[in-house]
């Protein structure tokens, strides 16, 4: 009978082991701040509507790098998505390599008519501007919890393993570490969030991935699970072909981790490859992330 190496699967109350990191102020505390940040862009968007002969022309003006730099263009694109066409993906439209004609030719039929926009924005009440700025600032703090989690973990790690192990990687926003930059003969794409080394020899002992999920389920959970399994398989294949061994640590945290499907998949992942793979929350770090395991 196979030995169950999943520590997580033995936890009766998953909620008790996750870290609560609030993402942003609650309503109505955030309203004034978002208005102060985005109100000027609503005014600019309003003036651009009045000057445009069509919604397509409005989008073209917003995306013109000779007219607006990125820090102005992004809020205007968010406004366009909210007010003109919800099918215009902001992440795609911000990339100027994509011509405006691509959006107009394929999605122009979804654009709100410019005359209607002019009527709606000509005498917009202050309360509507407050509502609009609240909407476009909705995702301002997206990713912030992950940065906080990584920073807390790095601080914990450096305090616990000072003089024994080192950890490297971005604490906040920053480029992932490609495993190919660590192992020259690793050929495939393999981004990770941090690398653990021996303090004296600098030998790589573990690579890790940090994720904070405030909520998660359905297809998002499936995508995350598939990606994690792929990381484990690629690492195992590399170890077998190169005789290079390292541990895999998934620092997973947040209330979203406890969704049934997500938690079940974390339990399956935890303990894989004869316990070379571990899944841990910050609260479980002292128990799960030990020097003995890292050096195993």
């Amino acid at each position: 009978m196979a030995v169950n190496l999943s520590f997580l699967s033995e936890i009766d109350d998953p909620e008790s082991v996750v870290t609560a990191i609030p993402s942003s102020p609650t309503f109505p505390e955030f309203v004034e701040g978002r208005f102060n940040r985005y109100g000027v862009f609503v005014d600019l968007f309003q003036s651009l509507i009045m000057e445009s002969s069509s919604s397509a022309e409005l989008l073209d003006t917003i995306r013109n790098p000779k007219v607006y730099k990125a820090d102005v263009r992004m809020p205007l694109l968010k406004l366009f998505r909210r007010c003109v066409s919800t099918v215009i993906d902001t992440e795609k439209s911000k990339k100027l390599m994509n011509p405006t004609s691509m959006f107009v030719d394929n999605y122009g039929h979804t654009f709100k008519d410019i005359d209607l926009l002019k009527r709606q924005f000509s005498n917009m009440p202050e309360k509507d501007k407050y509502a609009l700025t609240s909407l476009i600032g909705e995702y301002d703090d997206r990713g912030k919890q992950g940065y906080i989690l990584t920073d807390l973990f790095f601080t914990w790690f450096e305090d616990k393993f000072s003089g024994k192990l080192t950890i490297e990687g971005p604490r906040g926003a920053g480029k992932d570490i490609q495993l190919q930059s660590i192992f020259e003969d690793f050929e495939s794409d393999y981004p990770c969030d941090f690398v653990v080394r021996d303090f004296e020899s600098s030998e790589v002992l573990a690579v890790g991935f940090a994720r904070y999920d405030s909520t998660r389920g359905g297809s998002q959970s499936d995508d995350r699970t598939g990606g994690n399994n792929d990381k484990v398989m690629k690492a195992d294949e590399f170890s077998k072909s190169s005789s290079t061994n390292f541990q895999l640590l998934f620092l997973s945290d947040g209330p979203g981790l406890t969704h049934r499907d997500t938690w079940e998949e974390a339990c399956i992942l935890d303990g894989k490859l004869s316990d070379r793979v571990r899944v841990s929350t910050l609260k479980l770090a002292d128990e799960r992330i030990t020097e003995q395991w890292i050096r195993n």
Side-chain angles (χ1 to χ4, degrees):
M1 184 176 179
V3 177
N4 180 15
L5 298 176
S6 174
F7 179 91
L8 292 190
S9 64
E10 303 298 323
I11 295 174
D12 294 326
D13 182 12
E15 303 289 346
S16 67
V17 300
V18 300
T19 309
I21 302 176
S23 60
S24 64
T26 54
F27 177 88
E29 286 82 2
F30 64 69
V31 172
E32 196 66 34
R34 291 183 186 177
F35 181 80
N36 291 337
R37 179 175 183 179
Y38 290 111
V40 62
F41 298 110
V42 172
D43 291 339
L44 175 58
F45 189 69
Q46 185 178 33
S47 66
L48 290 177
I49 288 173
M50 300 307 162
E51 296 168 2
S52 299
S53 60
S54 68
S55 296
E57 182 185 320
L58 172 65
L59 180 61
D60 189 58
T61 302
I62 291 171
R63 300 187 74 243
N64 188 337
K66 295 180 180 179
V67 180
Y68 298 114
K69 293 182 179 179
D71 59 342
V72 176
R73 190 163 60 246
M74 274 303 295
L76 293 175
L77 288 171
K78 289 180 181 180
L79 284 164
F80 191 92
R81 177 177 173 83
R82 286 289 186 177
C83 303
V84 185
S85 175
T86 57
V87 301
I88 299 300
D89 176 53
T90 307
E91 289 302 308
K92 187 177 291 184
S93 63
K94 77 176 184 180
K95 297 176 181 177
L96 299 182
M97 67 180 71
N98 298 320
T100 300
S101 59
M102 180 186 77
F103 300 103
V104 175
D105 293 345
N106 292 287
Y107 308 117
H109 63 282
T110 70
F111 291 8
K112 187 182 291 184
D113 185 78
I114 192 67
D115 292 330
L116 176 56
L117 282 169
K118 288 181 178 182
R119 290 196 298 272
Q120 291 174 335
F121 276 81
S122 60
N123 294 296
M124 178 174 282
E126 195 81 342
K127 65 180 180 61
D128 288 356
K129 289 185 179 181
Y130 269 92
L132 186 52
T133 54
S134 290
L135 281 173
I136 64 171
E138 183 177 4
Y139 299 109
D140 282 359
D141 295 316
R142 184 172 55 185
K144 181 179 177 181
Q145 294 155 302
Y147 301 150
I148 294 173
L149 175 68
T150 305
D151 185 59
L152 290 171
F153 177 69
F154 272 44
T155 299
W156 170 84
F157 191 98
E158 290 167 348
D159 288 344
K160 182 169 183 176
F161 300 115
S162 177
K164 299 176 182 179
L165 305 170
T166 64
I167 186 168
E168 60 189 55
R171 280 181 177 258
K175 287 185 177 181
D176 292 332
I177 301 172
Q178 280 289 344
L179 211 58
Q180 193 174 43
S181 68
I182 306 298
F183 302 112
E184 291 184 0
D185 49 347
F186 193 93
E187 297 180 352
S188 61
D189 179 63
Y190 198 99
C192 55
D193 295 311
F194 56 87
V195 173
V196 174
R197 297 177 183 268
D198 177 76
F199 180 80
E200 293 186 356
S201 68
S202 294
E203 177 189 358
V204 175
L205 302 175
V207 300
F209 313 90
R211 296 290 183 271
Y212 189 94
D213 291 322
S214 55
T215 182
R216 185 154 296 277
S219 60
Q220 288 181 312
S221 180
D222 294 340
D223 290 344
R224 176 67 52 81
T225 298
N228 289 342
N229 284 331
D230 186 54
K231 290 180 176 70
V232 171
M233 291 176 62
K234 283 183 177 180
D236 189 37
E237 290 170 2
F238 176 69
S239 294
K240 289 176 179 177
S241 64
S242 66
S243 298
T244 302
N245 291 312
F246 50 85
Q247 308 290 69
L248 293 171
L249 173 60
F250 292 88
L251 179 68
S252 299
D253 221 321
L257 175 65
T258 64
H259 282 252
R260 187 176 68 176
D261 56 344
T262 309
W263 181 259
E264 288 176 353
E265 293 299 339
C267 290
I268 293 171
L269 191 68
D270 186 41
K272 273 194 169 183
L273 304 185
S274 300
D275 203 31
R276 276 182 57 206
V277 181
R278 285 193 175 182
V279 181
S280 178
T281 66
L282 190 61
K283 284 186 177 181
L284 293 172
D286 275 311
E287 189 172 2
R288 301 289 285 139
I289 307 170
T290 63
E291 185 179 0
Q292 180 182 5
W293 174 74
I294 291 172
R295 293 185 181 280
N296 186 18

